[in-house]
Amino acid sequence: MRIELQNFTKRFGDTTVIEDMSLSVASGEMVALLGPSGCGKSTTLFAISGIHRIDGGTLHFGDRDVTALPPQDRPVGVVFQNYALYPHMSVAENIGFPLKVQKLSSSEIKRRVSEMADLVQIGNLLSRKPQQLSGGQQQRVALARALVRKPDVLLLDEPLANLDAKLRLEMRSEIRRLQRETGITAILVTHDQIEAMSMCDRIALMKDGNIEQISTPSEMYERPASRYVAGFLGNPPISFLQAEANGQLALGGGNALALPNGITATGPVTLGVRPEHFGPQHRGSSVAGRVSFIEPQGREDLIDVILPDDQRLRAIVPAGHDITLGQEISWQVDLDRVHLFDAEGARL
Amino acid sequence: MNTKGNWILILALSLISAPLVIMYGFQLIDSISRPAPGGIIPQEWELTNWRFLWTSIDSARPSIWRVTFNTFVFASSTALLVCAFSITAAYALSRLNFSARRFFLAGLIMLHAFPTITLIIAIFIVLQFLGLYDSLMGVILVKAALELPFGIWIMKGFYDSVPWEIEMAGVQDGASRFRVWRELILPQVKPGLSALLIFSFLAGWSEFILPLVLAPGADAQVLATYMNAVIADDTRPDYGLFKAIGMFYALPVIAVYLLFQKRLMNIYGGGTKG
């Protein structure tokens, strides 16, 4: 089911949290709303679920206008960050509650609950109470409850935030598997770029109540639309250098790079270099500096380089090098892969 | 901790609580014995002080069972009223956004601390106007109204500790707001509710001033006013009888405390677990 959010505006009292935002999600697609806390991603999610009233704009599921529908009537399943299981009910009662509300017969409820429980692999836990379950199991129950009435849309609000690292990995692929198997349209709210990149077809990166860029994870990583996007994605993060464009890129302290192909801008620009595109193993324009920090990571090392004008670059260098702290180096920047932004932070 | 320190502690605590224990002890002993005139040592064990249970102690007074029944009706009706209004009002104050919500909250705190006895004359006039003066019904309404601020405040605390997400999940699962409250939220505050029920029952059971002033007639007498009458009326007070009735009056309270200790602690512990 296609989701079409148009010119969405949300106010809390006098403060406008989101103004004029539009988002469309194709049927069967999984989209991440990614951004720092307070950027309005959860607000958007709950507006789609119906818990927050929409102050301006429209929302369509397919061809159906659901803008004014109360949450009870929207074909939406929600998984909350803390799972919000009903503590006094067993797992089976939790999953069956949406069906009980729909007044289905108890045999029908039982059948669909066990079918759902099998899908999320908790068929043996149906008589337990939520507090007898581990975090991952609670998460599965929450997923089952959200999916049991076969909604058109699945909304996930930071579903992995309360899990430990190992379970997070497991549930990441589990949620994606369920989404693919059921073919449901899904929106995932997260502040974790890895979650967004690994689980979703497209990412909508949000900032201050606006979508900064929406595209596939690789597109967003390879061609960030702004300095903000470039800085948000990537671990270890991208390094930014202030430069002056005048036929070449003057970095100060004697360093200069050739202008990347197709760039004609002049004046102050910001150069973004990801750590994997700088180092002795690359070919391209050289930058001279001094090694200021080495952080061994096993397969490769993270190396910080301080340039003569005190700007910093970071490099990922395969392990087994003989670089020492304080060494003067001149390494290459892969000019085909760097990003240039103008003074306002927009991509050049 | 070493054993010696233990013993010193136990000794100190025993000394401090000794007066209370002695008082309770003699309450019981005197009710089933006859001391020497002017002394405290029991001379003879007998049950004459408990005669009020099977005979009328004097012709003008209603039977003890009638009075006990009144007290029970008074206490349990008060408790039920307080609980019924508290669980709904507290939910509204905790979760719903309505105008004057802040005013109601501030009013609750003030009423909670208000010396209600200063209202007694106004209440008296209101009851007389309504024709509820000297009736059990009137005292029940007044007592319940005065207990409500406490009940609402306690229940609001319990509602506040229930995560919003449970409510949101319920609404998203298709249930109406009322159904969410009834089936999903109310079970989470049950510990608070049962504690409040017991608590307001005990408050009603031990209430003295309100029945004394607002329902002084024989028909609406409760145990507290009955005891008062026993000791006040006679030219030669019968302390043995008074203590026996006192014992009888206190027994249900002790039983309730013993049975429901854990649940009562909920009010002070606050909130649900798991």
Side-chain angles (χ1 to χ4, degrees), chain A residues 185-233:
Chain A
T185 311
I187 298 182
L188 167 82
V189 158
T190 180
H191 62 267
D192 181 0
Q193 45 157 327
I194 308 213
E195 257 172 60
M197 293 184 85
S198 61
M199 290 170 73
C200 295
D201 298 309
R202 283 194 301 154
I203 299 176
L205 185 59
M206 293 186 66
K207 181 196 182 188
D208 301 334
N210 271 309
I211 295 181
E212 190 87 355
Q213 181 176 2
I214 176 161
S215 52
T216 63
S218 58
E219 163 89 7
M220 188 172 275
Y221 189 78
E222 304 287 344
R223 292 187 56 81
S226 68
R227 189 190 153 141
Y228 176 78
V229 176
F232 203 93
L233 289 190

Side-chain angles (χ1 to χ4, degrees), chain B residues 55-190:
Chain B
T55 57
S56 189
I57 45 176
D58 69 50
S59 52
R61 257 185 272 279
S63 107
I64 186 80
W65 298 111
R66 175 71 205 280
V67 176
T68 309
F69 177 73
N70 277 353
T71 317
F72 182 78
V73 170
F74 174 57
S76 45
S77 313
T78 305
L80 288 176
L81 275 178
V82 168
C83 287
F85 283 101
S86 294
I87 55 172
T88 41
Y91 179 78
L93 283 170
S94 169
R95 289 293 155 91
L96 306 182
N97 210 352
F98 53 93
S99 46
R101 178 174 174 271
R102 293 186 65 84
F103 168 80
F104 278 113
L105 275 178
L108 264 190
I109 304 180
M110 210 194 78
L111 280 176
H112 186 159
F114 200 81
T116 43
I117 196 68
T118 53
L119 297 173
I120 200 86
I121 294 174
I123 291 172
F124 174 84
I125 294 171
V126 171
L127 281 191
Q128 198 155 43
F129 179 78
L130 292 174
L132 289 173
Y133 173 69
D134 206 8
S135 73
L136 208 52
M137 182 67 157
V139 207
I140 289 170
L141 288 178
V142 172
K143 179 67 182 165
L146 295 177
E147 282 290 314
L148 260 183
F150 172 75
I152 295 175
W153 193 251
I154 289 287
M155 288 314 292
K156 181 185 172 294
F158 278 88
Y159 279 123
D160 286 346
S161 69
V162 179
W164 262 107
E165 282 83 359
I166 288 189
E167 206 146 338
M168 287 154 85
V171 167
Q172 213 76 62
D173 284 346
S176 68
R177 204 67 199 271
F178 179 78
R179 183 157 189 185
V180 168
W181 172 74
R182 174 74 198 73
E183 283 184 37
L184 304 180
I185 306 299
L186 210 51
Q188 316 306 320
V189 300
K190 236 165 68 189

Side-chain angles (χ1 to χ4, degrees), chain A residues 49 51 71-72 86-88 101 149, chain B residues 169-175 183 188:
Chain A
S49 85
I51 284 170
Q72 286 94 341
Y86 311 132
H88 58 294
V101 172
R149 51 170 195 162
Chain B
V171 167
Q172 213 76 62
D173 284 346
E183 283 184 37
Q188 316 306 320

Side-chain angles (χ1 to χ4, degrees), chain A residues 82-95 97 126-133 138 141 145, chain B residues 161-167 169-170 180 183-191 271-274:
Chain A
N82 61 7
Y83 319 133
L85 299 181
Y86 311 132
H88 58 294
M89 294 184 179
S90 70
V91 168
E93 288 167 324
N94 262 284
I95 302 175
F97 185 74
L126 284 176
S127 56
R128 300 251 191 108
K129 287 281 172 66
Q131 60 264 37
Q132 298 170 301
L133 303 180
Q138 291 190 26
V141 178
R145 191 182 62 188
Chain B
S161 69
V162 179
W164 262 107
E165 282 83 359
I166 288 189
E167 206 146 338
V180 168
E183 283 184 37
L184 304 180
I185 306 299
L186 210 51
Q188 316 306 320
V189 300
K190 236 165 68 189
T272 53
K273 278 166 229 101

Side-chain angles (χ1 to χ4, degrees), chain A residues 66-247:
Chain A
V66 297
T67 315
L69 279 188
Q72 286 94 341
D73 299 337
R74 295 194 188 184
V76 165
V78 182
V79 174
F80 295 87
Q81 177 171 352
N82 61 7
Y83 319 133
L85 299 181
Y86 311 132
H88 58 294
M89 294 184 179
S90 70
V91 168
E93 288 167 324
N94 262 284
I95 302 175
F97 185 74
L99 303 177
K100 197 174 131 203
V101 172
Q102 291 182 341
K103 298 202 173 70
L104 296 188
S105 70
S106 60
S107 60
E108 172 74 2
I109 293 180
K110 208 173 160 205
R111 192 182 61 77
R112 283 178 56 180
V113 165
S114 74
E115 184 187 298
M116 206 64 226
D118 288 340
L119 183 65
V120 299
Q121 299 163 355
I122 48 164
N124 53 334
L125 303 173
L126 284 176
S127 56
R128 300 251 191 108
K129 287 281 172 66
Q131 60 264 37
Q132 298 170 301
L133 303 180
S134 70
Q137 291 167 334
Q138 291 190 26
Q139 168 94 80
R140 287 167 191 271
V141 178
L143 275 163
R145 191 182 62 188
L147 291 170
V148 74
R149 51 170 195 162
K150 305 205 189 326
D152 295 329
V153 173
L154 176 65
L155 303 176
L156 305 141
D157 181 29
E158 302 264 12
L160 305 175
N162 286 8
L163 296 176
D164 59 49
K166 191 161 161 276
L167 267 174
R168 202 173 300 170
L169 268 170
E170 179 189 323
M171 288 313 292
R172 220 155 74 183
S173 43
E174 182 67 11
I175 291 176
R176 184 59 166 163
R177 175 183 73 83
L178 278 172
Q179 188 263 333
R180 285 229 169 93
E181 257 172 51
T182 53
I184 194 171
T185 311
I187 298 182
L188 167 82
V189 158
T190 180
H191 62 267
D192 181 0
Q193 45 157 327
I194 308 213
E195 257 172 60
M197 293 184 85
S198 61
M199 290 170 73
C200 295
D201 298 309
R202 283 194 301 154
I203 299 176
L205 185 59
M206 293 186 66
K207 181 196 182 188
D208 301 334
N210 271 309
I211 295 181
E212 190 87 355
Q213 181 176 2
I214 176 161
S215 52
T216 63
S218 58
E219 163 89 7
M220 188 172 275
Y221 189 78
E222 304 287 344
R223 292 187 56 81
S226 68
R227 189 190 153 141
Y228 176 78
V229 176
F232 203 93
L233 289 190
N235 187 25
I238 194 168
S239 313
F240 290 113
L241 296 177
Q242 298 307 318
E244 187 78 19
N246 47 8

